Amino acid sequence: MKFFEKKKSKIGLALGSGAARGLAHIGVLKALKENNIPIDLLAGSSMGALVGACYARKGDIADFEEMILKVDFKQLLQLADPNLALMFKGFIHGQKVKKLLRAIIGDIEFKDLKIPLVIVATDVDTGEEIRIKEGSVAEAVRASTSIPAIFTPVKFKSRFLMDGGIINPVPVNVVKDMGATFVIACNVIHKRLKRKYTEPPAKKQKNSFLTKAQIKNATPAALNNKISMLIQENKDKIQSFQKFMDTFKAKVYKETQKIDPNTPNLFDTIIQAFYIMEYEIAELKGLEADFTIFPDTRNIASLEFYRGKEAILEGYKATEEIISNLQKLI
């Protein structure tokens, strides 16, 4: 009888922050889709906001996965737009990053997404959790990924916003408030193992994780053209900034031989500091979920985006390992 039929769960997915480690979310989404586990609602903080936005647009993550595995991250570093005049507001102004996000996600609004999405950011002045669910998706992602001291805060309506992971690194409560009756969380924030230093690959490695059909396809030409155009626009500014930094280093670091070459750089130190602070919050937030996936990304440093293949594979493996238990619960 229909009266006794079990009511279908409304499944929500909370994607947490984690910088480069957050690329594991791609593998998680890929495994969930392959195993026919539908995602009805999404919420994301920081890197989780970016991955969530890419998935929510079409209900698929293949295009974003392909881009991550083929893009030259050394080239993308040239999109940083340091502004000396704004140095005390944030090292990187972020306008080129905003344009890149629009090229990746599309110049779309939340109402255009296939899957409902809420992006979490933090109010700089009040420390409040800000939930963005209308307007430009790219602008919301930019706000949620604006790491303090590195990126200038993003003005959103009457507020200035920064990284969503500060206030809510795994936004389980947000998905619940959206109406989810069963919440899956993906938490990539774990206690780090002893730090390992890995160099970016000298040559682009052949990827064996993509399907044969995907390997045949190049990164979308439109995105390649957009990246090249943005880099060209940024060329003079980068050269000017590099000259300033070279002069600065010459004056400050006269005895560079005394500095261990493995000393973490400024960006990695700042991000790792936030990562350490977020750890305890993420653990507590994860307990609120019905099921939490923990990709093992402990050996991937915050800024090692070139290790995307490893992060994606860890997310995929972690999900495959628990998929039968997850299917039983759903």
Side-chain angles (χ1 to χ4, degrees):
M1 294 175 64
K2 290 185 178 180
F3 179 81
F4 293 105
E5 285 182 0
K6 185 178 179 181
K7 188 176 179 180
K8 183 182 177 182
S9 297
K10 201 168 188 178
I11 302 173
L13 178 63
L15 300 177
S17 59
R21 303 176 188 94
L23 294 176
H25 298 321
I26 297 172
V28 171
L29 283 163
K30 181 175 180 177
L32 291 175
K33 188 174 181 67
E34 287 180 358
N35 287 279
N36 299 312
I37 294 179
I39 301 301
D40 302 304
L41 303 164
L42 274 165
S45 290
S46 200
M47 181 53 73
L50 173 57
V51 177
C54 290
Y55 186 80
R57 184 182 180 187
K58 297 180 181 179
D60 190 82
I61 201 66
D63 288 345
F64 187 56
E65 177 192 11
E66 184 178 357
M67 190 213 80
I68 290 297
L69 291 170
K70 292 183 177 180
V71 74
D72 183 349
F73 282 97
K74 287 183 179 179
Q75 185 185 36
L76 286 185
L77 287 175
Q78 297 179 60
L79 292 180
D81 51 350
N83 190 320
L84 297 179
L86 300 175
M87 185 67 77
F88 293 106
K89 295 183 182 294
F91 188 77
I92 297 174
H93 190 234
Q95 289 302 314
K96 296 296 186 298
V97 173
K98 177 181 176 180
K99 290 181 180 179
L100 178 63
L101 287 173
R102 284 185 173 173
I104 295 171
I105 301 168
D107 193 9
I108 58 173
E109 298 193 354
F110 282 84
K111 61 183 177 61
D112 302 316
L113 297 173
K114 182 176 180 180
I115 299 172
L117 169 73
V118 172
I119 288 176
V120 177
T122 306
D123 187 299
V124 173
D125 297 315
T126 65
E128 292 177 81
E129 174 185 288
I130 305 300
R131 301 179 181 184
I132 308 174
K133 52 187 176 182
E134 59 182 20
S136 168
V137 177
E139 188 70 10
V141 171
R142 179 173 166 245
S144 186
T145 56
S146 290
I147 302 167
I150 295 180
F151 290 93
T152 56
V154 174
K155 188 172 183 179
F156 193 87
K157 297 183 179 180
S158 60
R159 297 175 180 268
F160 285 96
L161 306 181
M162 59 182 174
D163 200 301
I166 295 171
I167 189 70
N168 197 346
V170 186
V172 173
N173 60 320
V174 177
V175 183
K176 285 186 175 181
D177 290 345
M178 291 172 73
T181 56
F182 188 93
V183 178
I184 303 168
C186 181
N187 181 10
V188 298
I189 303 178
H190 315 299
K191 286 183 177 178
R192 285 286 304 276
L193 298 176
K194 183 176 175 56
R195 186 179 177 86
K196 290 185 179 181
Y197 297 90
T198 59
E199 294 295 328
K203 296 181 180 179
K204 189 178 290 185
Q205 298 177 343
K206 184 177 179 182
N207 172 49
S208 59
F209 190 53
L210 289 171
T211 63
K212 291 182 179 179
Q214 287 173 319
I215 292 173
K216 290 179 181 179
N217 296 325
T219 304
L223 181 56
N224 272 335
N225 292 338
K226 186 67 175 178
I227 292 173
S228 297
M229 184 181 72
L230 290 173
I231 288 173
Q232 191 60 40
E233 289 177 2
N234 218 32
K235 190 174 181 180
D236 291 342
K237 186 182 288 186
I238 289 292
Q239 289 177 342
S240 175
F241 186 77
Q242 187 61 55
K243 181 182 286 188
F244 167 81
M245 289 303 294
D246 289 343
T247 303
F248 179 79
K249 285 189 288 186
K251 291 181 178 179
V252 178
Y253 299 118
K254 292 181 178 179
E255 299 181 6
T256 54
Q257 67 274 16
K258 294 184 178 180
I259 300 176
D260 189 320
N262 285 327
T263 301
N265 61 49
L266 173 66
F267 293 145
D268 201 26
T269 300
I270 292 174
I271 293 176
Q272 186 63 13
F274 285 109
Y275 178 90
I276 292 168
M277 290 189 293
E278 289 175 359
Y279 171 74
E280 296 294 340
I281 304 174
E283 287 288 295
L284 292 174
K285 292 288 183 181
L287 294 175
E288 299 175 9
D290 296 291
F291 206 96
T292 302
I293 301 170
F294 295 99
D296 188 358
T297 56
R298 290 172 293 175
N299 277 326
I300 298 176
S302 303
L303 296 178
E304 292 180 335
F305 288 97
Y306 59 87
R307 297 177 67 186
K309 178 182 176 181
E310 296 173 57
I312 294 170
L313 185 56
E314 288 300 333
Y316 187 86
K317 283 167 51 182
T319 308
E320 283 290 303
E321 287 171 2
I322 53 84
I323 204 71
S324 58
N325 291 334
L326 180 58
Q327 288 171 328
K328 290 175 185 178
L329 289 173
I330 294 175

